[in-house]
Amino acid sequence: MYRTMIVAKMQRDAAPQVAKIFADSDRGELPGLIGVTGRSLFQFGEVYLHLIEAERPPDSEVTKYAKHPEFRDVSARLQPYMRAYDPETWREPKDAMAREFYRWERDRG
């Protein structure tokens, strides 16, 4: 399994609207195209954290489908509520993806 964390800033009262946008999108074809198997959205003050779990590396798949009509629709619907965490460095979706530097998983055996 692959995981990617997207970091942005979100209006403090926008969680219900943002959740609905993703619930609508998750019923479409885009998650399957990207290989998404799970999604969790978190908010800490104005910090938005979006954990994507996928069967393929999501960073390259998100880049691949960034011009897909459903991806563009989600992006347009999110625009009133979201802004880049670091507008100086954001140019494309991968610029909002955090770098994982440590992972531990319990042995399942």
Side-chain angles (χ1 to χ4, degrees):
M1 173 182 22
Y2 296 89
R3 291 182 225 150
T4 294
M5 177 73 70
I6 297 170
V7 181
K9 292 186 180 178
M10 180 175 80
Q11 291 178 3
R12 289 179 181 262
D13 61 349
Q17 295 90 334
V18 171
K20 180 176 182 345
I21 292 166
F22 279 104
D24 292 347
S25 173
D26 288 339
R27 288 190 291 275
E29 74 171 340
L30 192 60
L33 291 173
I34 293 174
V36 174
T37 59
R39 177 188 322 280
S40 297
L41 305 177
F42 300 87
Q43 181 178 12
F44 184 75
E46 68 174 12
V47 177
Y48 161 86
L49 302 162
H50 180 159
L51 176 65
I52 298 172
E53 297 173 301
E55 52 201 19
R56 298 182 297 279
D59 52 349
S60 59
E61 295 298 306
V62 167
T63 299
K64 181 177 171 182
Y65 288 101
K67 294 185 185 205
H68 188 282
E70 286 187 29
F71 190 95
R72 288 181 159 211
D73 178 63
V74 169
S75 296
R77 291 176 63 198
L78 289 172
Q79 193 170 7
Y81 310 110
M82 311 291 284
R83 64 186 192 281
Y85 185 83
D86 184 356
E88 296 294 317
T89 61
W90 195 95
R91 300 292 172 260
E92 58 184 310
K94 72 175 187 166
D95 296 334
M97 294 181 185
R99 180 182 60 85
E100 182 178 60
F101 63 93
Y102 175 81
R103 179 190 297 190
W104 176 85
E105 292 184 15
R106 185 180 71 191
D107 182 13
R108 299 183 189 257

